[in-house]
Amino acid sequence: MKKLNILSFLTSICVLLIVSASCTNLDESIYSQIKSENFYKNKLEVNQAALRPFTHMQAWLAPTGNNGHYYHSELSSDQIAWPQKGRHGYDGGDHFRQHYHTWTSNESRMRGGWSLMWTGVGYVNNAIADISALNVEEIGMTEEERTEVVNQLKVLRAFHYLKIMDLWGNVPIATAVADPVNPETKSRAEVFDFVKTELEENVPTLPLTTSANIGQISQAAGYAMLAELYLNAEKWVGTAMWDECIAASDKIISGEAGGIGGAPSLSPDINSLYSNTNSANPESLFQFQFSRKAGFTFDWGGFYMGYDNIKDVLKVGYGGWNAFVVIPTAFDAYAENDLRKKDWFLFGPQYKFGTTTPVLGTEEYDGKPFVYVNSIRRESEGDLTSEGSMAEGEENSGARFNKYKSGTLDDANYQENDYIIYRLTEIYFNKAEAIMRKNGGSANAEAVTLINDSRKRSFSAADWPAAQYNTSTLTLDELLAERGREFIFEGKRRTDLIRFGKFTTAAWWDHVPTNDPNRELYAIPLNQLSINPNLKQNPGY
């Protein structure tokens, strides 16, 4: 199924009508000579058209080197940074402004993220319009099959709006291509109601999640979206929806929404969900089905891998930009006996794979043994004590990403990793948080059990008795800290910090809080305001 879905997309991209849409100009841009009336000749082509907007979504949601939701969610938060490292990485101060919350309304990476995400909305709208207008009898498709595809697309569109609303809050609602040409800004409450209605009406009609529809829009994925929406409702629109969050979470936890291989279940360890054989992992609820063998690789190398010397460390064929590093205070948040600290990061001396031969540096430590350190400062110049800053990094500054593991070049499943969008652990955390917030911020036995069931995987049997939570130790602040440890690198941290009231008020490493609530939303890009007179800028910009 994994290879079939991806190959179907690769076939369709050559012939499918592609629509580039933003909320400023929803005109069509034709990249193919094949018009829509000459496509959609059978059920396969309908499914290919429906898959196109989903496949586009990886460009802004997964850490594959583009500047979408992932880039802005991580680099504005307290776990990941892209510091300057000697002569590399300043990039016009883009990453500094994210880290220090000093971005403007004219950020090029924000313009790119806006374009990517709204183009995705355009792809969905175009597919819905085309498929809704088909004479399905002529292509051997039933009305029920058409309805299922359209409803899946409506849920996918709602997910786009959920993430767009997360970044910008007040945005247009466009449900058709180029109609209107210049849609007007809607309040965040209106966008929230649109997303809520689309999900509540369509998610129950989706097929149950099974091993046969991995990576597709199915019920478990839809209820995970609803759980996220409800969890953030109080922050986003001022109305708490804790009971609704619990109910949506229970749909998943109980297995009522289906699961891969039956009811979903937690992975038995902390690594298998991210391995190169993770496609059918029962903890996953929604994922991108990447596959090197099928020509659609999950390439996290650009953002997360060091320079080419990392090839020898991991015995892989890819290097990176030496870009994202772990903020020192985030790495310090893990206990020394936490297995995640050992398994999810590259840290300390780096050796050629399977040997004790040191890998050598190429910049500040050219020709010297290469050691990742938990600091971002000019240690090669004698600074061993300062806090450091975004401008003072070196090639080895900061612990590094090692959560997803591609396997080695000779591994039969090399780079076959899927990217997990929603997983059962997140639903456990969502439900536990909703329970605690209903209970005035205090944990009860059920909330503690939900978090402990996840956390237990991160400690040895000997260490677990001292590491487990109880109703006194699981506070809301500790829940936020554990969310950070568990979901690091998964693109969710900014949203969590905002919901917990910490995004603009907390300090981390060298980041000083702005105490400016307007920074909880990004600016509408200036070029979009220039094009569309019906857009309104967010407060504070």
Side-chain angles (χ1 to χ4, degrees):
M1 173 61 89
K2 178 176 181 178
K3 182 175 287 188
L4 174 62
N5 287 348
I6 295 169
L7 290 177
S8 296
F9 158 67
L10 292 172
T11 301
S12 69
I13 195 171
C14 298
V15 295
L16 183 60
L17 171 72
I18 297 177
V19 176
S20 177
S22 74
C23 76
T24 58
N25 185 353
L26 300 179
D27 293 333
E28 295 181 0
S29 297
I30 310 301
Y31 297 104
S32 170
Q33 297 302 312
I34 306 299
K35 296 183 179 181
S36 59
E37 57 264 30
N38 296 323
F39 196 64
Y40 300 108
K41 296 302 183 183
N42 50 56
K43 287 192 289 186
L44 174 62
E45 292 181 350
V46 171
N47 288 330
Q48 289 170 341
L51 185 63
R52 177 65 185 100
F54 176 72
T55 310
H56 169 83
M57 191 168 72
Q58 61 82 25
W60 56 263
L61 190 62
T64 52
N66 287 292
N67 301 306
H69 188 276
Y70 189 94
Y71 172 92
H72 293 90
S73 293
E74 290 289 17
L75 292 197
S76 63
S77 302
D78 64 350
Q79 294 187 313
I80 308 298
W82 187 340
Q84 183 177 353
K85 305 176 191 72
R87 60 191 176 125
H88 300 287
Y90 179 66
D91 296 345
D94 293 2
H95 324 307
F96 286 41
R97 291 190 293 277
Q98 288 299 312
H99 178 75
Y100 295 122
H101 293 189
T102 57
W103 56 77
T104 71
S105 59
N106 197 32
E107 301 289 340
S108 62
R109 294 174 191 271
M110 176 55 69
R111 294 197 302 269
W114 174 280
S115 178
L116 280 171
M117 296 174 78
W118 282 103
T119 294
V121 173
Y123 286 151
V124 179
N125 285 339
N126 187 70
I128 289 174
D130 282 352
I131 295 169
S132 296
L134 289 176
N135 183 333
V136 291
E137 291 184 1
E138 291 182 354
I139 61 172
M141 193 173 189
T142 68
E143 190 61 47
E144 290 76 16
E145 289 172 327
R146 188 234 302 270
T147 299
E148 180 178 300
V149 172
V150 169
N151 289 353
Q152 288 176 309
L153 286 167
K154 288 180 177 179
V155 170
L156 181 60
R157 181 173 62 191
F159 180 71
H160 278 70
Y161 272 104
L162 189 156
K163 295 302 184 182
I164 288 170
M165 175 177 60
D166 179 29
L167 293 184
W168 291 286
N170 311 292
V171 295
I173 299 173
T175 58
V177 176
D179 184 21
V181 173
N182 290 318
E184 63 182 13
T185 297
K186 301 294 184 181
S187 69
R188 187 181 231 180
E190 291 175 286
V191 181
F192 182 95
D193 285 343
F194 171 75
V195 173
K196 178 175 175 290
T197 298
E198 288 283 280
L199 291 178
E200 289 179 344
E201 289 183 354
N202 292 294
V203 169
T205 74
L206 299 180
L208 295 177
T209 301
T210 69
S211 298
N213 59 19
I214 294 171
Q216 298 180 25
I217 308 291
S218 53
Q219 278 199 30
Y223 281 112
M225 296 173 197
L226 275 167
E228 180 180 356
L229 184 76
Y230 296 144
L231 185 68
N232 289 285
E234 184 176 59
K235 184 63 183 179
W236 287 349
V237 295
T239 301
M241 303 188 74
W242 312 125
D243 286 329
E244 292 86 344
C245 179
I246 292 169
S249 299
D250 282 340
K251 290 277 190 181
I252 297 168
I253 295 170
S254 68
E256 185 177 342
I260 297 174
S265 60
L266 296 179
S267 292
D269 59 74
I270 62 172
N271 293 316
S272 57
L273 184 60
Y274 310 102
S275 72
N276 61 13
T277 57
N278 69 341
S279 188
N281 191 288
E283 185 174 328
S284 178
L285 306 173
F286 190 35
Q287 65 206 67
F288 287 124
Q289 287 193 290
F290 287 101
S291 171
R292 179 188 59 83
K293 295 174 184 177
F296 191 51
T297 304
F298 175 22
D299 184 6
W300 60 79
F303 277 158
Y304 276 121
M305 290 294 100
Y307 301 132
D308 279 355
N309 56 2
I310 205 67
K311 294 179 179 179
D312 290 334
V313 174
L314 301 176
K315 195 180 175 183
V316 296
Y318 53 86
W321 308 330
N322 202 21
F324 290 4
V325 313
V326 180
I327 289 173
T329 47
F331 193 62
D332 285 338
Y334 292 86
E336 288 304 314
N337 62 350
D338 190 326
L339 300 177
R340 294 171 295 193
K341 191 170 189 175
K342 171 181 173 289
D343 286 2
W344 288 357
F345 304 91
L346 295 174
F347 185 70
Q350 300 300 299
Y351 302 101
K352 293 185 178 181
F353 185 83
T355 76
T356 57
T357 304
V359 167
L360 305 180
T362 58
E363 296 286 329
E364 289 86 359
Y365 298 92
D366 187 19
K368 299 178 182 178
F370 191 70
V371 182
Y372 283 125
V373 296
N374 188 33
S375 58
I376 303 174
R377 60 193 177 210
R378 301 298 295 176
E379 296 192 355
S380 66
E381 298 172 359
D383 181 3
L384 303 179
T385 58
S386 79
E387 181 180 61
S389 73
M390 286 286 287
E392 298 175 82
E394 298 184 325
E395 63 176 317
N396 65 338
S397 294
R400 303 304 176 90
F401 170 94
N402 197 33
K403 196 169 190 176
Y404 282 86
K405 299 174 178 66
S406 66
T408 57
L409 284 165
D410 53 0
D411 188 325
N413 292 301
Y414 174 63
Q415 286 191 304
E416 288 296 298
N417 312 69
D418 286 0
Y419 178 68
I420 308 302
I421 302 171
Y422 286 116
R423 57 187 176 106
L424 183 61
T425 300
E426 183 175 356
I427 305 306
Y428 278 29
F429 272 76
N430 291 353
K431 182 179 179 181
E433 183 179 334
I435 290 171
M436 292 175 68
R437 292 191 183 276
K438 279 187 65 180
N439 197 32
S442 298
N444 62 14
E446 184 179 12
V448 168
T449 298
L450 287 165
I451 303 305
N452 277 341
D453 282 351
S454 164
R455 181 174 166 83
K456 187 174 184 179
R457 299 173 294 184
S458 302
F459 294 88
S460 69
D463 289 338
W464 176 237
Q468 63 184 309
Y469 292 120
N470 57 45
T471 54
S472 297
T473 57
L474 185 59
T475 63
L476 281 176
D477 282 346
E478 182 57 29
L479 180 65
L480 176 63
E482 182 64 7
R483 282 191 79 108
R485 290 185 287 263
E486 179 64 23
F487 297 105
I488 192 168
F489 305 124
E490 295 188 32
K492 303 175 186 294
R493 189 59 175 171
R494 172 185 167 274
T495 310
D496 289 344
L497 289 174
I498 290 174
R499 189 175 64 257
F500 278 80
K502 303 291 188 181
F503 186 67
T504 61
T505 64
W508 50 85
W509 180 43
D510 75 327
H511 171 92
V512 177
T514 65
N515 293 304
D516 179 3
N518 292 323
R519 293 283 137 172
E520 291 182 352
L521 291 178
Y522 279 104
I524 306 298
L526 185 61
N527 69 316
Q528 301 295 326
L529 295 172
S530 300
I531 295 169
N532 180 0
N534 292 329
L535 287 178
K536 295 181 181 179
Q537 185 58 276
N538 281 324
Y541 295 101

